[in-house]
Structures are given as C-alpha cells and as structure tokens.
Amino acid sequence: MSDLRFASPEHRDFFLDMMSEARRNDCYHRAFFYVMGIAPETRANIRQMFDFKQDCIEPDGMHGGWQTSGTVRVCRLAFNLWNGYTDPEHSNAYSPEDLFCCEFAPYFMEGVKIRYPEYCRELPPAKKQVEPAR
C-alpha cells in the first residue's frame, strides 16, 4: 500500500480512516474506499453511498443532490469495482469511455490496480523489434 498515489493528503487520510472502519481489509474494500476518497464530495457523503452495518454499497446515493458529473463517475467506478455493479438503465455509462473521460482518470487506474492486483503487474521493458528485411 505504500506505493499508492493519492490525489491529496485528505484522500490518503480518508482511505486510512475508512479501512480502519471497514469489516475487511480485502481488495474490494481497498479499491472501493480508495476510489470514493478521490473527490471531496464523495468523501463527505460516504455514508450515503456505503452502509457500514450491512457492509454494502447504497446505489440510491447516486441520486443525491450533491452529485456532479465527476462524482457520479467516481461512484460508478467504485460501485463497479466493489461487485461489478452497473445501473441497468444506464449500463453504458459504466464504460471506460464514459468513466475515464475526466480529471480523476489517473487515480481511477490506481483503483483498478488495487482491485485486480493479479492482473495489473508491471510489464518488462519492450524489446526493440527488428524490422523485417525487404
């Protein structure tokens, strides 16, 4: 976890606080709280988006008056990383094209790496390819 890049000190503090409150320290919780901590608005409204007693997401929180186009993207990605959630009425809004088209994209990639560490490994440097003779 020491190599995670955070958007701000508040993002880091939120992540650590939520992980101390979470029932489990697994890739689902880490990815969810990392992504939800990116924006100040999602940090401030986390209890509308996650039920700590039931340990589950709250999709109804997507309709909060505080939501902006950016925070909706944050919540959609966090929900999808949690359990593959997509809103049936807006399933195409969960595509990479829609989600990653914002200033949060570099941190979204960090969230994906947290959720799928077994697939998001560093690749070896590319070898210089020899051009075929003509």
Side-chain angles (χ1 to χ4, degrees):
M1 284 300 172
S2 62
D3 59 341
L4 281 180
R5 294 181 298 171
F6 291 95
S8 66
E10 294 81 11
H11 181 199
R12 183 196 65 238
D13 293 347
F14 172 86
F15 174 75
L16 295 172
D17 288 347
M18 294 299 103
M19 289 309 301
S20 70
E21 193 172 338
R23 287 190 183 177
R24 293 180 190 89
N25 184 354
D26 57 20
C27 64
Y28 304 97
H29 288 82
R30 287 190 302 267
F32 179 81
F33 289 120
Y34 176 87
V35 172
M36 289 299 288
I38 295 169
E41 297 86 357
T42 52
R43 291 193 298 267
N45 292 283
I46 189 63
R47 298 195 189 289
Q48 291 181 37
M49 306 307 296
F50 192 81
D51 183 332
F52 285 87
K53 289 181 183 172
Q54 298 295 320
D55 197 39
C56 63
I57 59 174
E58 291 285 349
D60 288 341
M62 293 294 290
H63 307 293
W66 57 273
Q67 290 277 18
T68 66
S69 60
T71 62
V72 165
R73 286 181 172 98
V74 169
C75 296
R76 284 178 177 159
L77 180 62
F79 282 12
N80 191 268
L81 292 174
W82 176 258
N83 65 1
Y85 177 88
T86 59
D87 180 345
E89 294 179 19
H90 302 100
S91 61
N92 63 339
Y94 290 77
S95 71
E97 179 180 19
D98 189 66
L99 290 177
F100 285 79
C101 187
C102 70
E103 72 274 15
F104 301 130
Y107 302 103
F108 286 178
M109 291 304 299
E110 290 291 304
V112 171
K113 290 176 187 177
I114 293 167
R115 175 61 182 83
Y116 301 104
E118 65 276 22
Y119 303 116
C120 295
R121 62 195 185 289
E122 292 296 319
L123 297 174
K127 293 181 183 178
K128 186 173 182 174
Q129 300 212 354
V130 178
E131 298 226 3
R134 294 185 187 229

